[in-house]
Amino acid sequence: MRADMEIKFLSGVGERRAALLTMELGIRTVGDLLHYYPFRYIDRTKVYRIGELTEENSSTFVQLRGRIVGYAYLGDGRKQRLSVTLGDSTGQIEMVWFQGAKWIEKRIEVGREYMVLGKPTYFNGKANLVHPEIELVEKFLARGNFGMQGVYGTTERLTSAGLGSKGIYGLVCTLWEAVKGRIGETLPGHVVRQLGLMSRAEALENIHFPSSPQKLRAAQYRLKFEELFGIQLGIVSLKAGRTTLKNGFVFARVGHHFLDFYENRLPFKLTEAQKRVVKEIRKDTTSGHQMNRLLQGDVGSGKTMVALMSMLLAADNGFQSCLMAPTEILARQHYASIAKMIAGTPTEGRVAVLTGSTKAAERREILRRLASGEILILVGTHALIEDRVQFDNLGMVVIDEQHRFGVEQRAKLWTKNQVTPHILVMTATPIPRTLAMTLYGDLDVSVIDELPAGRKPIKTYHLKEAMRLKLFGFMKKEIAKGRQIYVVYPLIKESESLDYQNLYDGFEHIIQEFPLPEYRVGAIHGKMSPEDKAEGMRLFAEGVNQILVATSVIEVGVDVPNATVIVIESAERFGLSQLHQLRGRVGRGGNQSYCVLMSGDKLSSDAEKRLEAMVQTCDGFELSELDLKLRGAGDVNGTRQSGEAFDLRIASLSTDGQILQQARDVAEQILAQDPHLTEPQNKLLAALRERYKPSGSIDYGMIS
Ligand code: ADP
Ligand code: MG
């Protein structure tokens, strides 16, 4: 049997169930099934006594052994249920079936002894089991299975086709009988020995049929390592490939574009961190290698300045640059601030902005000046990626808040010149280390870990509706001091119209509370035309409006240093990293700033934790680690790619950091000696690297 044999040919599957397995779980081949691991295990050696069960000790599945005392149908009509009483020497417990009652009734006999497996639910302190698994004790003993039993993830549709967890387990048993003894190794002997790993055959056996908790742990370790190691081999190779090639543009000159700005126009003293990063970029761009650098810096740390200086250096060496931002507002704002900063320098007039809403005539003119090399810095949105945007000599690409761009979109910019330009990817979403090592493991990383001097930590409060009048009073006080305020509403796709209604209602409410002529309130949201949005933003940025009511379009990058308060409505509906991004809109000047999280009265425990964390800390890294824990790696806001690019089956980026580090170390060590994995002892590794290439389906190789 080959690993790529279609699952429908496995005995007991057939066309219909095969189609379901593929659709619901992505299981297409027997190899897929072999690598579909239990997500949990039930210890079948542990048998509880009924009298022992308490709400605390039995929050998961428990196994009982007892005799059936009696049964009855309770309720009537559609609500009818079968109630069966199970007893042992310590007490009795009720088992309930709402469905399949007749089928169960035929299979139970009063007075006989059964093994029962179920998850207790409690009413008034009294336990009962709904739809437990039940089996005659003799039959259970005859099966000789007393170890840990895997629980497989399944869906309702599969369950109704007989493929609940137990059904899938059955298929895995059938498959294992057919393939055991013929499982090949995927890691070379020297790696297995160096790390003391379990063999692949033993690991697969124990992941499905653990013979002891120790073996299960060893199996999990081996399979997690293999997965993370395969990915790291690819990433480390990618990075090595880039740094061994000598094909990067060399920005040797420091000329007038940079110096005139640096010496005459720099509006503040650079932080040490900014200086360090500029040096790192200088080093990269003079090395002859192509730069591929990720710049992480918390919101407000001054990444834009670093980008500008890098682009000026490119200009000094005869190269054009582009700065790509995720939204129209942000692109226009970047353009405005760059234009202002370089006014009066040789770069003045050689910067342009291009977005989806740039008018045709203006666009033509920009494209012409771009192709002729007159424009040195082009700022824009993803409109920059379009084919008709042709540079004369693109040498530097800066991507701001990159998580908004897909991997493919990014790749397209690289091809705007025959030689790949230097690339600086900037993100304010602090990426947990494990995620960074996986998602951006091929990039070099710079960190701005210092905020400009004089910044005061933002004070964050969590308020409920009853405090709203107090909030309004507080807002008025801040406005009286000459400050400005954001009020943000969530906008979540599924219920868009409802969300807009909330925004409009909120806007009305604010206008009533803050009436003209004393107060001026503006609003921006995604449904407005780009011009109207830009105008709304301008009125706020220039201080004409004191309050800006907005959807989360202002989430990234927007920079109005005089704004000191951000009120986030329905804060429980935002993710943690989004909340942190939003909060970063204030605290950008020297004044004390505030973030007010408004929420409903009843909160889920996760929402409660998120808001509590926001109140407790302003540290983006701390928050992102927590976010990763709360939501799992595939779902961290803005880094959704992680789940798609790397289809992790067993390893978890949130809990397997140590294994990941080990995988990284071993990959680096091996590739340093054998960069192309051509030596005989590394032959298997070339295949492993290929198998775990980002995206695309995973090919497991041969079973035998
Ligand atoms: P982010 O890293 O979030 O993109 P910005 O580049 O928008 O941050 O900078 C935030 C604010 O801090 C801007 O108003 C910018 O002009 C200002 N700023 C940047 N660097 C410094 C510095 N070294 N000293 C003082 N203010 C700075
Ligand atoms: Mg920014």
Side-chain angles (χ1 to χ4, degrees):
M1 186 183 294
R2 283 179 51 96
D4 59 3
M5 185 177 98
E6 283 180 59
I7 191 75
K8 69 178 171 196
F9 298 121
L10 183 71
S11 124
V13 179
E15 295 276 357
R16 199 175 73 85
R17 292 164 119 201
L20 269 179
L21 280 168
T22 306
M23 197 157 62
E24 302 281 298
L25 300 177
I27 296 176
R28 202 176 49 76
T29 64
V30 293
D32 291 335
L33 180 63
L34 191 59
H35 295 85
Y36 188 68
Y37 308 136
F39 69 96
R40 218 159 46 69
Y41 297 85
I42 298 163
D43 183 358
R44 300 223 70 168
T45 56
K46 168 82 185 159
V47 181
Y48 281 84
R49 319 246 274 163
I50 294 171
E52 271 185 290
L53 295 183
T54 65
E55 221 161 324
E56 288 71 41
N57 75 7
S58 54
S59 56
T60 61
F61 280 77
V62 297
Q63 186 168 241
L64 301 169
R65 177 176 176 159
R67 285 180 199 283
I68 289 183
V69 178
Y71 64 88
Y73 280 94
L74 303 177
D76 44 27
R78 304 180 102 254
K79 288 218 176 117
Q80 197 182 50
R81 65 185 194 269
L82 173 65
S83 162
V84 182
T85 307
L86 184 81
D88 67 13
S89 60
T90 65
Q92 296 193 341
I93 188 168
E94 186 192 8
M95 303 185 288
V96 183
W97 281 268
F98 295 95
Q99 279 134 34
K102 287 273 176 295
W103 195 84
I104 292 291
E105 188 190 348
K106 278 197 212 117
R107 278 162 185 77
I108 55 174
E109 227 176 288
V110 173
R112 292 191 73 178
E113 212 185 355
Y114 292 84
M115 294 301 295
V116 171
L117 185 67
K119 193 173 166 183
T121 45
Y122 288 84
F123 282 112
N124 303 325
K126 208 168 148 266
N128 65 22
L129 300 170
V130 179
H131 292 180
E133 277 180 30
I134 170 163
E135 187 174 26
L136 276 169
V137 165
E138 298 90 87
K139 259 182 133 178
F140 172 78
L141 294 178
R143 276 199 297 120
N145 181 355
F146 313 108
M148 319 239 290
Q149 189 182 316
V151 181
Y152 293 83
T154 181
T155 66
E156 223 161 275
R157 295 180 70 184
L158 279 166
T159 307
S160 46
L163 291 178
S165 169
K166 221 173 153 190
I168 294 175
Y169 176 76
L171 293 183
V172 174
C173 290
T174 308
L175 175 61
W176 188 250
E177 280 310 311
V179 302
K180 72 175 176 198
R182 296 195 291 124
I183 303 286
E185 188 47 84
T186 39
L187 294 174
H190 65 96
V191 173
V192 173
R193 279 191 303 277
Q194 183 190 347
L195 297 167
L197 296 175
M198 191 180 246
S199 76
R200 179 155 178 268
E202 201 183 352
L204 284 174
E205 175 160 23
N206 277 284
I207 204 77
H208 291 294
F209 319 106
S211 52
S212 72
Q214 292 75 15
K215 291 257 182 187
L216 173 61
R217 267 199 299 278
Q220 286 169 327
Y221 193 92
R222 147 81 204 213
L223 296 171
K224 285 177 175 185
F225 177 83
E226 174 170 337
E227 188 166 86
L228 295 170
F229 183 52
I231 292 169
Q232 289 302 323
L233 281 174
I235 290 172
V236 176
S237 303
L238 211 65
K239 184 168 176 177
R242 178 167 55 78
T243 48
T244 47
L245 280 179
K246 274 274 181 190
N247 65 347
F249 295 128
V250 178
F251 295 174
R253 261 173 66 81
V254 181
H256 284 304
H257 290 295
F258 183 86
L259 289 174
D260 270 16
F261 170 75
Y262 192 75
E263 284 164 6
N264 308 324
R265 299 284 308 166
L266 193 63
F268 34 65
K269 253 184 76 189
L270 295 181
T271 62
E272 288 308 311
Q274 284 171 318
K275 282 187 208 161
R276 189 183 63 234
V277 174
V278 172
K279 269 192 203 133
E280 284 166 351
I281 293 171
R282 276 281 291 154
K283 200 166 159 218
D284 287 353
T285 53
T286 51
S287 71
H289 301 302
Q290 182 239 337
M291 175 174 83
N292 221 332
R293 192 167 276 282
L294 177 70
L295 172 55
Q296 286 195 25
D298 212 341
V299 282
S301 61
K303 295 184 292 294
T304 316
M305 179 53 63
V306 171
L308 175 61
M309 290 193 288
S310 311
M311 296 193 292
L312 292 175
L313 281 169
D316 277 334
N317 290 276
F319 289 98
Q320 294 167 300
S321 305
C322 69
L323 168 59
M324 188 158 84
T327 64
E328 170 107 22
I329 289 183
L330 199 51
R332 295 203 174 270
Q333 186 179 302
H334 274 322
Y335 169 73
S337 66
I338 289 175
K340 200 166 111 195
M341 283 195 277
I342 57 163
T345 75
T347 330
E348 184 172 6
R350 302 186 70 181
V351 181
V353 58
L354 182 69
T355 70
S357 66
T358 305
K359 296 275 180 312
E362 193 188 343
R363 169 184 305 267
R364 258 196 312 279
E365 179 62 7
I366 289 175
L367 292 181
R368 186 190 64 71
R369 293 174 61 217
L370 191 65
S372 74
E374 204 179 315
I375 290 176
L376 288 172
I377 296 176
L378 182 62
V379 181
T381 53
H382 48 264
L384 296 185
I385 298 174
E386 289 171 25
D387 289 332
R388 56 184 166 171
V389 179
Q390 292 293 336
F391 292 82
D392 174 40
N393 193 10
L394 179 64
M396 174 98 191
V397 172
V398 182
I399 301 185
D400 193 17
E401 314 292 352
Q402 52 70 41
H403 58 277
R404 294 298 184 88
F405 295 105
V407 176
E408 253 172 63
Q409 282 179 318
R410 266 189 273 154
K412 224 172 155 189
L413 264 181
W414 307 174
T415 59
K416 291 262 167 196
N417 202 340
Q418 274 169 344
V419 177
T420 311
H422 294 301
I423 293 153
L424 181 67
V425 171
M426 307 198 291
T427 176
T429 308
I431 302 164
R433 242 174 60 78
T434 51
L435 207 55
M437 232 166 23
T438 311
L439 270 182
Y440 309 109
D442 60 321
L443 308 186
D444 294 308
V445 179
S446 289
V447 182
I448 304 189
D449 49 7
E450 179 191 1
L451 293 179
R455 295 275 170 82
K456 299 187 181 69
I458 300 163
K459 291 192 174 146
T460 303
Y461 302 95
H462 172 195
L463 303 183
K464 302 202 170 161
E465 206 45 49
M467 302 285 283
R468 187 166 291 277
L469 281 182
K470 275 219 164 111
L471 169 67
F472 286 152
F474 169 71
M475 289 164 67
K476 285 176 182 163
K477 266 200 213 139
E478 281 292 304
I479 292 173
K481 289 192 217 159
R483 310 282 148 70
Q484 290 168 279
I485 298 176
Y486 296 103
V487 181
V488 179
Y489 285 84
L491 185 61
I492 291 154
K493 279 241 167 51
E494 292 94 73
S495 55
E496 244 186 60
S497 53
L498 197 79
D499 287 337
Y500 278 113
Q501 196 54 50
N502 287 340
L503 176 79
Y504 295 135
D505 292 350
F507 184 57
E508 289 297 317
H509 194 171
I510 299 261
I511 289 181
Q512 272 171 27
E513 200 61 41
F514 297 86
L516 284 164
E518 196 178 353
Y519 298 104
R520 287 171 312 275
V521 182
I524 53 172
H525 57 75
K527 278 193 180 167
M528 292 164 85
S529 72
E531 292 81 21
D532 288 350
K533 263 193 275 181
E535 178 65 5
M537 203 56 229
R538 189 185 64 80
L539 288 173
F540 187 68
E542 290 177 359
V544 178
N545 287 335
Q546 297 133 328
I547 299 180
L548 181 64
V549 179
T551 53
S552 45
V553 290
I554 64 152
E555 178 189 340
V556 281
V558 167
D559 186 30
V560 180
N562 190 47
T564 55
V565 181
I566 183 162
V567 179
I568 304 176
E569 296 287 346
S570 305
E572 71 271 29
R573 293 179 62 192
F574 289 97
L576 198 45
S577 71
Q578 217 182 355
L579 288 172
H580 180 63
Q581 287 287 310
L582 284 169
R583 178 167 59 184
R585 296 316 104 216
V586 299
R588 309 192 132 234
N591 297 316
Q592 178 63 54
S593 291
Y594 305 88
C595 169
V596 181
L597 307 168
M598 296 300 290
S599 82
D601 288 331
K602 283 218 183 85
L603 295 176
S604 72
S605 87
D606 269 10
E608 193 81 59
K609 277 188 204 142
R610 285 200 298 274
L611 300 186
E612 174 65 22
M614 284 289 293
V615 172
Q616 291 303 328
T617 181
C618 280
D619 182 328
F621 275 92
E622 223 174 282
L623 290 171
S624 77
E625 296 282 352
L626 182 71
D627 201 26
L628 187 64
K629 286 212 183 79
L630 288 177
R631 314 214 292 156
D635 205 29
V636 170
N637 185 36
T639 47
R640 196 166 281 281
Q641 305 149 357
S642 60
E644 290 155 24
F646 301 100
D647 186 11
L648 295 177
R649 315 237 136 186
I650 183 164
S652 147
L653 293 181
S654 48
T655 54
D656 296 325
Q658 276 187 356
I659 309 181
L660 176 58
Q661 184 64 56
Q662 194 173 37
R664 175 83 176 196
D665 292 346
V666 178
E668 280 176 353
Q669 178 199 325
I670 291 176
L671 285 162
Q673 280 158 22
D674 183 12
H676 303 289
L677 299 178
T678 44
E679 288 176 22
Q681 78 273 19
N682 291 331
K683 244 177 77 187
L684 282 172
L685 293 181
L688 189 69
R689 177 175 61 183
E690 199 53 36
R691 198 170 309 149
Y692 283 100
K693 259 202 180 142
S695 79
S697 61
I698 296 182
D699 160 19
Y700 301 106
M702 296 295 295
I703 285 177
S704 57

